[in-house]
Amino acid sequence: MTGARISTLRLAGVTRSFGGHQALRGLDLEISGGEFVALLGPSGCGKSTALNCLAGLLPLTGGQIFLDGERVDQLAPERRGFGMVFQNYALFPHMTVRNNVGFGLKMAKVPRAEAAERVTRALDMVQLTAHAHKRPGQLSGGQQQRVAIARAIVLEPRLVLMDEPLSNLDAALRLEMRAEIRRLHQRLGLTTVYVTHDQEEALSLADRLVVLRDGRTQQIGTPEEVYSRPANRYVASFMGYRTLLDATVTGIRGSHVVVDIAGSPLVGLDRDGVAAGGRVTAAIRPEDLDVAVGDERADGTSGTTGLPATVEVVEYHGRELAVQARLTDGRRVHFRTGKRLAPDDSVRLVAPPDRVLVFAADDGGGQPGDSGDGPSRGPGAEAGPSSPEGGEPDSADPHSPAGAPAGESTAGTSREPREGRDTPKQVAT
């Protein structure tokens, strides 16, 4: 089962406004055929708006979309040949699994014998052959999402769009379905655009990440690039650099700088070409900050200093502890350690200079969470990813309910608001 392989999908200055609010601001992106690209960011960043613009569920306020050189943003959703997987599954509750998967083929008037064969192959791919006769209400959440995926791929689409397809599943099912999506992508090679707020999910699935904030692109790169070399303070915080400390540069050492943190020196990698005396932010992952042993110093030299801190909260995570501590100036830091610690213990903290990223304080990056006092968690953080409050604006066209995949009829759908934006809801007809 392979769809028509595309060469290039290009978004040129794609913009979408809701009244006076710009939900998406000049998105420029080029996607190669067979590539898996994740749009990543917290609620309200514009990722679902971008996806719905791609699907044709939202008209563009500005910009253009090209597929293999042909402009497609003016085409109706059913003429774009895309498949879509929705967050809420959007299955017809009165239809069997087989009929749900085959509905798009029926609407496209695919010959019955060919449609039956394609449905059978799709069900086999998602391991639901034994459940073909059941209705969605008889399936688990993971099985329902597999039906939604099968319904998208059975159309042999030129592009697959996935809007947070795993967010309604529990932790174990998310891991299972993540592996399933990756397996299907490797097998079919379908060009995929995937929306998520989950950093770990994006890192594990995507070939490239597009990090968004307030409708603006913050960074585009491979998972390794975004994880290891975030473009600014915002991306660093969102990607798991949980300790963010404002500081002053006290020295320059080639590509590294020395900064003053609560009266103690800390060496980090200069990411913005900062100058001596400049105000900066030092970003450190929990796994890169640890308790000093012997004469280790936070500035990379020998001595008896480090960043003095007092342990406040200790969480047991098996082989290591996740610890929240407070520096002498009151700011909180987060680290992981295999050493046994308890609240009120006094420690000195050190970090490898190459693992401390130093950004100019005025880079405009900001951060998803509260600076120095529990920013948004990400990979390597203590309790998994989280996203700030605040939903995106309404991202569904009132004339094209997102309850029906591209190419399907929109009959039998109603819409009700949920969590700050309209979410499609299927009803029986």
Side-chain angles (χ1 to χ4, degrees), residues 12-27:
V14 171
T15 300
R16 172 65 193 183
S17 297
F18 297 89
H21 174 73
Q22 274 197 321
L24 194 63
R25 310 173 189 228
L27 175 60

Side-chain angles (χ1 to χ4, degrees), residues 114-373:
E114 179 186 347
E117 181 182 352
R118 285 166 64 173
V119 169
T120 297
R121 289 203 307 268
L123 289 174
D124 180 63
M125 284 184 189
V126 297
Q127 303 173 28
L128 284 178
T129 302
H131 302 279
H133 63 287
K134 296 180 180 179
R135 287 183 168 78
Q138 297 173 288
L139 304 176
S140 68
Q143 289 170 332
Q144 290 183 54
Q145 195 56 280
R146 290 186 188 197
V147 175
I149 293 171
R151 184 181 57 189
I153 65 175
V154 77
L155 298 171
E156 300 183 352
R158 295 190 289 176
L159 177 69
V160 176
L161 307 174
M162 296 189 175
D163 190 6
E164 304 206 47
L166 309 186
S167 62
N168 289 338
L169 305 180
D170 63 35
L173 277 177
R174 280 202 302 273
L175 289 175
E176 180 182 329
M177 285 306 303
R178 197 166 77 194
E180 186 74 15
I181 290 171
R182 190 62 184 169
R183 181 183 67 82
L184 286 171
H185 182 260
Q186 290 172 345
R187 178 174 176 179
L188 301 176
L190 294 173
T191 309
T192 303
V193 179
Y194 187 101
V195 162
T196 182
H197 65 274
D198 188 315
Q199 303 93 324
E200 186 176 347
E201 195 174 291
L203 289 169
S204 65
L205 287 172
D207 299 315
R208 276 194 303 155
L209 307 182
V210 180
V211 183
L212 297 171
R213 180 197 185 205
D214 295 336
R216 292 189 175 92
T217 303
Q218 299 294 303
Q219 185 171 1
I220 300 176
T222 65
E224 182 179 2
E225 288 170 347
V226 175
Y227 182 88
S228 302
R229 298 184 294 280
N232 57 40
R233 170 177 170 157
Y234 173 83
V235 177
S237 178
F238 195 76
M239 297 307 297
Y241 286 80
R242 198 173 176 202
T243 294
L244 298 172
L245 301 170
D246 292 335
T248 301
V249 177
T250 59
I252 307 291
R253 297 181 182 176
S255 61
H256 293 79
V257 296
V258 183
V259 299
D260 178 80
I261 303 288
S264 297
L266 179 70
V267 175
L269 192 61
D270 183 1
R271 296 288 288 142
D272 284 336
V274 300
R279 295 294 297 167
V280 296
T281 297
I284 316 171
R285 292 184 182 279
E287 60 268 32
D288 293 330
L289 195 61
D290 201 0
V291 177
V293 176
D295 64 353
E296 288 182 273
R297 287 171 54 111
D299 66 353
T301 63
S302 61
T304 57
T305 64
L307 301 182
T310 302
V311 174
E312 288 191 328
V313 178
V314 178
E315 299 177 9
Y316 176 74
H317 285 196
R319 294 182 179 180
E320 61 182 5
L321 302 176
V323 182
Q324 175 180 288
R326 189 178 292 275
L327 300 178
T328 55
D329 62 4
R331 288 181 289 178
R332 290 193 177 107
V333 294
H334 304 266
F335 64 95
R336 292 176 176 271
T337 181
K339 302 175 179 64
R340 300 297 95 180
L341 296 175
D344 296 326
D345 282 353
S346 295
V347 294
R348 292 182 297 107
L349 301 176
V350 294
D354 285 344
R355 299 296 182 88
V356 179
L357 303 186
V358 179
F359 299 97
D362 60 348
D363 71 351
Q367 68 217 50
D370 179 21
S371 175
D373 216 16

